[in-house]
Short mmCIF file of all heavy atoms in Angstrom, two decimals:
data_model
loop_
_atom_site.label_atom_id
_atom_site.label_comp_id
_atom_site.label_asym_id
_atom_site.label_seq_id
_atom_site.Cartn_x
_atom_site.Cartn_y
_atom_site.Cartn_z
N VAL V 23 -10.13 21.29 -7.06
CA VAL V 23 -10.82 22.54 -6.76
C VAL V 23 -12.29 22.40 -6.85
O VAL V 23 -13.03 22.67 -5.94
CB VAL V 23 -10.29 23.69 -7.57
CG1 VAL V 23 -10.98 25.01 -7.25
CG2 VAL V 23 -8.77 23.85 -7.36
N ASP V 24 -12.69 21.71 -7.92
CA ASP V 24 -14.13 21.78 -8.22
C ASP V 24 -14.99 21.64 -7.02
O ASP V 24 -15.74 22.47 -6.69
CB ASP V 24 -14.43 20.59 -9.21
CG ASP V 24 -13.89 20.94 -10.63
OD1 ASP V 24 -13.14 22.01 -10.64
OD2 ASP V 24 -14.06 20.28 -11.55
N ASP V 25 -14.78 20.53 -6.34
CA ASP V 25 -15.87 20.29 -5.33
C ASP V 25 -15.69 21.04 -4.01
O ASP V 25 -16.23 20.76 -3.06
CB ASP V 25 -15.94 18.79 -5.03
CG ASP V 25 -14.51 18.25 -4.64
OD1 ASP V 25 -13.71 19.17 -4.39
OD2 ASP V 25 -14.26 17.08 -4.69
N VAL V 26 -14.78 21.99 -4.04
CA VAL V 26 -14.74 22.82 -2.78
C VAL V 26 -15.11 24.25 -3.12
O VAL V 26 -14.37 24.89 -3.86
CB VAL V 26 -13.31 22.79 -2.20
CG1 VAL V 26 -13.19 23.57 -0.89
CG2 VAL V 26 -12.91 21.35 -1.87
N GLU V 27 -16.27 24.72 -2.72
CA GLU V 27 -16.77 26.13 -3.01
C GLU V 27 -15.91 27.07 -2.26
O GLU V 27 -15.44 26.79 -1.18
CB GLU V 27 -18.17 26.25 -2.57
CG GLU V 27 -19.20 25.48 -3.45
CD GLU V 27 -19.01 25.95 -4.90
OE1 GLU V 27 -18.84 27.17 -5.04
OE2 GLU V 27 -19.04 25.07 -5.78
N GLU V 28 -15.74 28.22 -2.86
CA GLU V 28 -14.91 29.32 -2.24
C GLU V 28 -15.36 29.48 -0.85
O GLU V 28 -14.75 29.20 0.15
CB GLU V 28 -15.04 30.62 -2.97
CG GLU V 28 -13.97 30.70 -4.17
CD GLU V 28 -14.36 29.58 -5.16
OE1 GLU V 28 -15.56 29.39 -5.38
OE2 GLU V 28 -13.45 28.82 -5.61
N ASP V 29 -16.72 29.77 -0.72
CA ASP V 29 -17.23 30.17 0.57
C ASP V 29 -17.65 28.97 1.37
O ASP V 29 -18.31 29.00 2.39
CB ASP V 29 -18.48 31.07 0.43
CG ASP V 29 -19.50 30.22 -0.42
OD1 ASP V 29 -19.13 29.05 -0.70
OD2 ASP V 29 -20.58 30.66 -0.73
N GLY V 30 -17.17 27.77 0.81
CA GLY V 30 -17.36 26.55 1.64
C GLY V 30 -18.77 26.20 1.78
O GLY V 30 -19.10 25.17 2.31
N ALA V 31 -19.68 26.92 1.09
CA ALA V 31 -21.10 26.52 1.13
C ALA V 31 -21.26 25.26 0.37
O ALA V 31 -20.43 24.98 -0.58
CB ALA V 31 -21.95 27.62 0.45
N PRO V 32 -22.21 24.49 0.75
CA PRO V 32 -22.40 23.23 0.04
C PRO V 32 -22.57 23.51 -1.46
O PRO V 32 -23.02 24.57 -1.87
CB PRO V 32 -23.58 22.59 0.64
CG PRO V 32 -24.34 23.71 1.30
CD PRO V 32 -23.28 24.75 1.71
N GLU V 33 -22.22 22.61 -2.28
CA GLU V 33 -22.22 22.79 -3.69
C GLU V 33 -23.49 23.42 -4.20
O GLU V 33 -24.57 23.12 -3.69
CB GLU V 33 -22.06 21.44 -4.39
CG GLU V 33 -20.78 20.76 -4.11
CD GLU V 33 -20.15 20.17 -5.30
OE1 GLU V 33 -20.72 20.16 -6.34
OE2 GLU V 33 -19.01 19.69 -5.06
N GLY V 34 -23.41 24.33 -5.11
CA GLY V 34 -24.54 24.71 -5.89
C GLY V 34 -25.39 25.70 -5.15
O GLY V 34 -26.26 26.34 -5.63
N GLN V 35 -25.14 25.87 -3.84
CA GLN V 35 -25.98 26.81 -3.15
C GLN V 35 -25.42 28.21 -3.27
O GLN V 35 -26.02 29.16 -2.91
CB GLN V 35 -26.09 26.42 -1.65
CG GLN V 35 -26.64 24.98 -1.44
CD GLN V 35 -27.93 24.77 -2.22
OE1 GLN V 35 -28.68 25.73 -2.35
NE2 GLN V 35 -28.12 23.68 -2.85
N GLY V 36 -24.28 28.48 -3.77
CA GLY V 36 -23.54 29.71 -3.58
C GLY V 36 -24.24 30.83 -4.34
O GLY V 36 -25.20 30.59 -5.07
N ALA V 37 -23.64 32.07 -4.10
CA ALA V 37 -24.28 33.29 -4.69
C ALA V 37 -24.28 33.17 -6.23
O ALA V 37 -23.47 32.42 -6.79
CB ALA V 37 -23.37 34.49 -4.36
#
Side-chain angles (χ1 to χ4, degrees):
V23 179
D24 287 8
D25 53 11
V26 180
E27 291 299 323
E28 274 63 39
D29 58 2
E33 297 223 355
Q35 304 308 327

